[in-house]
Amino acid sequence: MAINHKHDEPFSTEAYREARPHKVGPDDGPEPPFPIVMYGLVQAGFGRGSKELGCPTANLPEEAIRPMTSQCKAGIYYGYARVHQPPKGAPVDLGEQGIEVHPMVMSLGWNPFYKNEKMTAEVHVIHEFEHDFYGHEISVVVLGYIRPELDYTSRDALKEDIATDIQVTLNSLGRPAYTKFKNDTTWSHAKIK
Ligand code: ADP
Ligand code: RBF
Ligand code: MG
């Protein structure tokens, strides 16, 4: 796994993994700087094997993630995402369910490909898609922080933690003050630059 040299807090991976909470963020809704809205076209990543982990991640372009990188540290975040239908006539149709708003979990991290000088954001949409959606527009609202980026010694440990991240996301979004963002078109239909 990538080694992250830019943690701003010391922590012990194993101790943290055992003690992690199963619901995060205040019950009465997102606290500043959240909600943070992002919009952009899904890019090809570096093929670092997210799909092989059973967890494909839609990579967002650099300019789209500025609202996050300017206000947040590296780590795992949760919220909602909506993948848009492609322009008319494009070969891929995601179907009605594909373009609905779905829960998402996101990794914001320092990319070793750029010698840890650039942050990247990868969004795993919690939905089984029938097709890839490279090039599609995606709208994202980030509602809270889950945990720091950890330096993994094994793939299985990362897989386990991603499964926990998904559970934490669903538990956390289950509260009314978070669920209400699902039907909020001010972010899901926004085309911000
Ligand atoms: P890459 O390195 O190109 O980002 P990934 O293995 O992370 O490759 O796969 C990401 C791609 O998988 C996305 O760009 C998208 O087209 C597709 N995909 C399919 N299902 C999902 C999902 N549930 N969440 C995110 N991306 C998905
Ligand atoms: N990679 C890490 O090195 N440390 C992490 O803590 C970490 N957490 C992740 C959490 C989620 C929800 C997802 C989707 C990915 C995470 N990754 C993490 C993996 C990383 O961002 C990227 O997807 C992998 O490098 C692909 O193999
Ligand atoms: Mg990816």
Side-chain angles (χ1 to χ4, degrees):
M1 266 313 117
I3 295 173
N4 179 358
H5 298 287
K6 298 205 177 176
H7 290 304
D8 54 7
E9 59 205 31
F11 57 87
S12 153
T13 304
E14 284 313 312
Y16 175 80
R17 292 186 65 228
E18 275 164 36
R20 55 183 301 197
H22 285 247
K23 200 189 270 178
V24 293
D27 285 348
D28 59 358
E31 59 188 347
F34 308 110
I36 292 178
V37 179
M38 297 188 289
Y39 163 83
L41 303 185
V42 176
Q43 287 191 326
F46 299 106
R48 284 179 304 166
S50 307
K51 260 182 200 160
E52 288 91 272
L53 284 172
C55 187
T57 56
N59 291 56
L60 296 178
E62 200 182 336
E63 63 277 8
I65 71 174
R66 223 159 268 147
M68 277 302 290
T69 55
S70 61
Q71 303 181 80
C72 301
K73 58 187 176 183
I76 313 308
Y77 293 84
Y78 70 99
Y80 288 107
R82 184 172 82 93
V83 181
H84 302 218
Q85 204 64 277
K88 274 207 173 72
V92 172
D93 188 320
L94 293 176
E96 268 176 43
Q97 287 196 335
I99 57 164
E100 282 171 8
V101 172
H102 297 289
M104 71 85 197
V105 62
M106 180 179 92
S107 161
L108 182 72
W110 293 100
N111 200 308
F113 187 86
Y114 290 112
K115 303 194 173 72
N116 294 338
E117 281 160 9
K118 268 191 188 176
M119 276 185 133
T120 51
E122 308 175 32
V123 174
H124 174 66
V125 185
I126 306 176
H127 177 73
E128 288 271 342
F129 288 88
E130 285 179 24
H131 302 279
D132 284 353
F133 46 84
Y134 290 110
H136 287 233
E137 300 162 87
I138 188 171
S139 299
V140 177
V141 64
V142 186
L143 298 176
Y145 171 80
I146 299 181
R147 64 170 173 91
E149 215 189 12
L150 303 177
D151 296 341
Y152 286 94
T153 48
S154 85
R155 258 169 96 89
D156 282 350
L158 174 56
K159 275 175 99 161
E160 260 176 46
D161 280 3
I162 291 177
T164 306
D165 294 330
I166 290 173
Q167 210 44 62
V168 171
T169 294
L170 298 176
N171 293 342
S172 301
L173 292 176
R175 296 166 293 187
Y178 293 82
T179 310
K180 72 175 191 193
F181 283 88
K182 192 166 181 171
N183 296 318
D184 182 347
T185 55
T186 56
W187 71 267
S188 62
H189 291 253
K191 293 200 176 195
I192 42 174
K193 282 264 152 69

mmCIF file with all atom_site columns, all heavy atoms in Angstrom, residues 54-66:
data_model
loop_
_atom_site.group_PDB
_atom_site.id
_atom_site.type_symbol
_atom_site.label_atom_id
_atom_site.label_alt_id
_atom_site.label_comp_id
_atom_site.label_asym_id
_atom_site.label_entity_id
_atom_site.label_seq_id
_atom_site.pdbx_PDB_ins_code
_atom_site.Cartn_x
_atom_site.Cartn_y
_atom_site.Cartn_z
_atom_site.occupancy
_atom_site.B_iso_or_equiv
_atom_site.pdbx_formal_charge
_atom_site.auth_seq_id
_atom_site.auth_comp_id
_atom_site.auth_asym_id
_atom_site.auth_atom_id
_atom_site.pdbx_PDB_model_num
ATOM 1  N N   . GLY A 1 54 ? -12.341 -5.208 -4.974  1.00 0.00 ? 54 GLY A N   1
ATOM 2  C CA  . GLY A 1 54 ? -13.797 -5.295 -4.904  1.00 0.00 ? 54 GLY A CA  1
ATOM 3  C C   . GLY A 1 54 ? -14.403 -3.929 -4.652  1.00 0.00 ? 54 GLY A C   1
ATOM 4  O O   . GLY A 1 54 ? -15.551 -3.809 -4.230  1.00 0.00 ? 54 GLY A O   1
ATOM 5  N N   . CYS A 1 55 ? -13.624 -2.902 -4.917  1.00 0.00 ? 55 CYS A N   1
ATOM 6  C CA  . CYS A 1 55 ? -14.053 -1.565 -4.576  1.00 0.00 ? 55 CYS A CA  1
ATOM 7  C C   . CYS A 1 55 ? -13.597 -0.560 -5.629  1.00 0.00 ? 55 CYS A C   1
ATOM 8  O O   . CYS A 1 55 ? -12.652 0.204  -5.411  1.00 0.00 ? 55 CYS A O   1
ATOM 9  C CB  . CYS A 1 55 ? -13.459 -1.211 -3.209  1.00 0.00 ? 55 CYS A CB  1
ATOM 10 S SG  . CYS A 1 55 ? -14.054 0.329  -2.564  1.00 0.00 ? 55 CYS A SG  1
ATOM 11 N N   . PRO A 1 56 ? -14.264 -0.547 -6.812  1.00 0.00 ? 56 PRO A N   1
ATOM 12 C CA  . PRO A 1 56 ? -13.877 0.419  -7.843  1.00 0.00 ? 56 PRO A CA  1
ATOM 13 C C   . PRO A 1 56 ? -14.067 1.842  -7.339  1.00 0.00 ? 56 PRO A C   1
ATOM 14 O O   . PRO A 1 56 ? -14.997 2.118  -6.579  1.00 0.00 ? 56 PRO A O   1
ATOM 15 C CB  . PRO A 1 56 ? -14.849 0.116  -8.995  1.00 0.00 ? 56 PRO A CB  1
ATOM 16 C CG  . PRO A 1 56 ? -15.997 -0.592 -8.376  1.00 0.00 ? 56 PRO A CG  1
ATOM 17 C CD  . PRO A 1 56 ? -15.448 -1.328 -7.193  1.00 0.00 ? 56 PRO A CD  1
ATOM 18 N N   . THR A 1 57 ? -13.170 2.731  -7.734  1.00 0.00 ? 57 THR A N   1
ATOM 19 C CA  . THR A 1 57 ? -13.274 4.124  -7.295  1.00 0.00 ? 57 THR A CA  1
ATOM 20 C C   . THR A 1 57 ? -13.238 5.058  -8.495  1.00 0.00 ? 57 THR A C   1
ATOM 21 O O   . THR A 1 57 ? -12.321 4.983  -9.322  1.00 0.00 ? 57 THR A O   1
ATOM 22 C CB  . THR A 1 57 ? -12.109 4.498  -6.360  1.00 0.00 ? 57 THR A CB  1
ATOM 23 O OG1 . THR A 1 57 ? -10.874 4.251  -7.020  1.00 0.00 ? 57 THR A OG1 1
ATOM 24 C CG2 . THR A 1 57 ? -12.182 3.732  -5.053  1.00 0.00 ? 57 THR A CG2 1
ATOM 25 N N   . ALA A 1 58 ? -14.226 5.908  -8.599  1.00 0.00 ? 58 ALA A N   1
ATOM 26 C CA  . ALA A 1 58 ? -14.284 6.911  -9.664  1.00 0.00 ? 58 ALA A CA  1
ATOM 27 C C   . ALA A 1 58 ? -13.354 8.058  -9.277  1.00 0.00 ? 58 ALA A C   1
ATOM 28 O O   . ALA A 1 58 ? -13.519 8.676  -8.233  1.00 0.00 ? 58 ALA A O   1
ATOM 29 C CB  . ALA A 1 58 ? -15.716 7.410  -9.836  1.00 0.00 ? 58 ALA A CB  1
ATOM 30 N N   . ASN A 1 59 ? -12.361 8.311  -10.139 1.00 0.00 ? 59 ASN A N   1
ATOM 31 C CA  . ASN A 1 59 ? -11.396 9.373  -9.848  1.00 0.00 ? 59 ASN A CA  1
ATOM 32 C C   . ASN A 1 59 ? -11.895 10.705 -10.391 1.00 0.00 ? 59 ASN A C   1
ATOM 33 O O   . ASN A 1 59 ? -12.396 10.774 -11.510 1.00 0.00 ? 59 ASN A O   1
ATOM 34 C CB  . ASN A 1 59 ? -10.045 9.015  -10.469 1.00 0.00 ? 59 ASN A CB  1
ATOM 35 C CG  . ASN A 1 59 ? -9.390  7.843  -9.767  1.00 0.00 ? 59 ASN A CG  1
ATOM 36 O OD1 . ASN A 1 59 ? -9.984  6.774  -9.651  1.00 0.00 ? 59 ASN A OD1 1
ATOM 37 N ND2 . ASN A 1 59 ? -8.201  8.033  -9.268  1.00 0.00 ? 59 ASN A ND2 1
ATOM 38 N N   . LEU A 1 60 ? -11.745 11.746 -9.582  1.00 0.00 ? 60 LEU A N   1
ATOM 39 C CA  . LEU A 1 60 ? -12.208 13.078 -9.975  1.00 0.00 ? 60 LEU A CA  1
ATOM 40 C C   . LEU A 1 60 ? -11.030 13.922 -10.436 1.00 0.00 ? 60 LEU A C   1
ATOM 41 O O   . LEU A 1 60 ? -9.912  13.768 -9.939  1.00 0.00 ? 60 LEU A O   1
ATOM 42 C CB  . LEU A 1 60 ? -12.886 13.772 -8.782  1.00 0.00 ? 60 LEU A CB  1
ATOM 43 C CG  . LEU A 1 60 ? -14.158 13.107 -8.274  1.00 0.00 ? 60 LEU A CG  1
ATOM 44 C CD1 . LEU A 1 60 ? -14.712 13.855 -7.070  1.00 0.00 ? 60 LEU A CD1 1
ATOM 45 C CD2 . LEU A 1 60 ? -15.200 13.076 -9.380  1.00 0.00 ? 60 LEU A CD2 1
ATOM 46 N N   . PRO A 1 61 ? -11.266 14.846 -11.398 1.00 0.00 ? 61 PRO A N   1
ATOM 47 C CA  . PRO A 1 61 ? -10.175 15.701 -11.871 1.00 0.00 ? 61 PRO A CA  1
ATOM 48 C C   . PRO A 1 61 ? -9.718  16.686 -10.787 1.00 0.00 ? 61 PRO A C   1
ATOM 49 O O   . PRO A 1 61 ? -10.478 17.012 -9.872  1.00 0.00 ? 61 PRO A O   1
ATOM 50 C CB  . PRO A 1 61 ? -10.770 16.443 -13.064 1.00 0.00 ? 61 PRO A CB  1
ATOM 51 C CG  . PRO A 1 61 ? -12.232 16.260 -12.983 1.00 0.00 ? 61 PRO A CG  1
ATOM 52 C CD  . PRO A 1 61 ? -12.517 15.079 -12.114 1.00 0.00 ? 61 PRO A CD  1
ATOM 53 N N   . GLU A 1 62 ? -8.474  17.129 -10.959 1.00 0.00 ? 62 GLU A N   1
ATOM 54 C CA  . GLU A 1 62 ? -7.827  17.980 -9.961  1.00 0.00 ? 62 GLU A CA  1
ATOM 55 C C   . GLU A 1 62 ? -8.656  19.215 -9.596  1.00 0.00 ? 62 GLU A C   1
ATOM 56 O O   . GLU A 1 62 ? -8.799  19.547 -8.416  1.00 0.00 ? 62 GLU A O   1
ATOM 57 C CB  . GLU A 1 62 ? -6.471  18.401 -10.541 1.00 0.00 ? 62 GLU A CB  1
ATOM 58 C CG  . GLU A 1 62 ? -5.494  18.869 -9.497  1.00 0.00 ? 62 GLU A CG  1
ATOM 59 C CD  . GLU A 1 62 ? -4.177  19.316 -10.133 1.00 0.00 ? 62 GLU A CD  1
ATOM 60 O OE1 . GLU A 1 62 ? -3.854  18.865 -11.257 1.00 0.00 ? 62 GLU A OE1 1
ATOM 61 O OE2 . GLU A 1 62 ? -3.494  20.122 -9.486  1.00 0.00 ? 62 GLU A OE2 1
ATOM 62 N N   . GLU A 1 63 ? -9.209  19.885 -10.610 1.00 0.00 ? 63 GLU A N   1
ATOM 63 C CA  . GLU A 1 63 ? -9.926  21.138 -10.304 1.00 0.00 ? 63 GLU A CA  1
ATOM 64 C C   . GLU A 1 63 ? -11.233 20.871 -9.555  1.00 0.00 ? 63 GLU A C   1
ATOM 65 O O   . GLU A 1 63 ? -11.679 21.682 -8.762  1.00 0.00 ? 63 GLU A O   1
ATOM 66 C CB  . GLU A 1 63 ? -10.158 21.984 -11.567 1.00 0.00 ? 63 GLU A CB  1
ATOM 67 C CG  . GLU A 1 63 ? -11.047 21.366 -12.645 1.00 0.00 ? 63 GLU A CG  1
ATOM 68 C CD  . GLU A 1 63 ? -10.314 20.398 -13.580 1.00 0.00 ? 63 GLU A CD  1
ATOM 69 O OE1 . GLU A 1 63 ? -9.132  20.059 -13.330 1.00 0.00 ? 63 GLU A OE1 1
ATOM 70 O OE2 . GLU A 1 63 ? -10.952 19.948 -14.563 1.00 0.00 ? 63 GLU A OE2 1
ATOM 71 N N   . ALA A 1 64 ? -11.794 19.677 -9.779  1.00 0.00 ? 64 ALA A N   1
ATOM 72 C CA  . ALA A 1 64 ? -13.067 19.347 -9.121  1.00 0.00 ? 64 ALA A CA  1
ATOM 73 C C   . ALA A 1 64 ? -12.908 19.114 -7.626  1.00 0.00 ? 64 ALA A C   1
ATOM 74 O O   . ALA A 1 64 ? -13.851 19.259 -6.857  1.00 0.00 ? 64 ALA A O   1
ATOM 75 C CB  . ALA A 1 64 ? -13.682 18.105 -9.772  1.00 0.00 ? 64 ALA A CB  1
ATOM 76 N N   . ILE A 1 65 ? -11.699 18.733 -7.198  1.00 0.00 ? 65 ILE A N   1
ATOM 77 C CA  . ILE A 1 65 ? -11.540 18.353 -5.794  1.00 0.00 ? 65 ILE A CA  1
ATOM 78 C C   . ILE A 1 65 ? -11.010 19.489 -4.926  1.00 0.00 ? 65 ILE A C   1
ATOM 79 O O   . ILE A 1 65 ? -10.826 19.323 -3.729  1.00 0.00 ? 65 ILE A O   1
ATOM 80 C CB  . ILE A 1 65 ? -10.652 17.093 -5.630  1.00 0.00 ? 65 ILE A CB  1
ATOM 81 C CG1 . ILE A 1 65 ? -9.187  17.385 -5.947  1.00 0.00 ? 65 ILE A CG1 1
ATOM 82 C CG2 . ILE A 1 65 ? -11.166 15.965 -6.511  1.00 0.00 ? 65 ILE A CG2 1
ATOM 83 C CD1 . ILE A 1 65 ? -8.274  16.186 -5.650  1.00 0.00 ? 65 ILE A CD1 1
ATOM 84 N N   . ARG A 1 66 ? -10.823 20.669 -5.562  1.00 0.00 ? 66 ARG A N   1
ATOM 85 C CA  . ARG A 1 66 ? -10.283 21.800 -4.801  1.00 0.00 ? 66 ARG A CA  1
ATOM 86 C C   . ARG A 1 66 ? -11.098 22.150 -3.554  1.00 0.00 ? 66 ARG A C   1
ATOM 87 O O   . ARG A 1 66 ? -10.521 22.455 -2.507  1.00 0.00 ? 66 ARG A O   1
ATOM 88 C CB  . ARG A 1 66 ? -10.116 23.019 -5.717  1.00 0.00 ? 66 ARG A CB  1
ATOM 89 C CG  . ARG A 1 66 ? -8.792  23.720 -5.470  1.00 0.00 ? 66 ARG A CG  1
ATOM 90 C CD  . ARG A 1 66 ? -8.376  24.576 -6.652  1.00 0.00 ? 66 ARG A CD  1
ATOM 91 N NE  . ARG A 1 66 ? -7.525  23.867 -7.592  1.00 0.00 ? 66 ARG A NE  1
ATOM 92 C CZ  . ARG A 1 66 ? -7.530  24.076 -8.918  1.00 0.00 ? 66 ARG A CZ  1
ATOM 93 N NH1 . ARG A 1 66 ? -8.376  24.936 -9.453  1.00 0.00 ? 66 ARG A NH1 1
ATOM 94 N NH2 . ARG A 1 66 ? -6.708  23.417 -9.692  1.00 0.00 ? 66 ARG A NH2 1
#
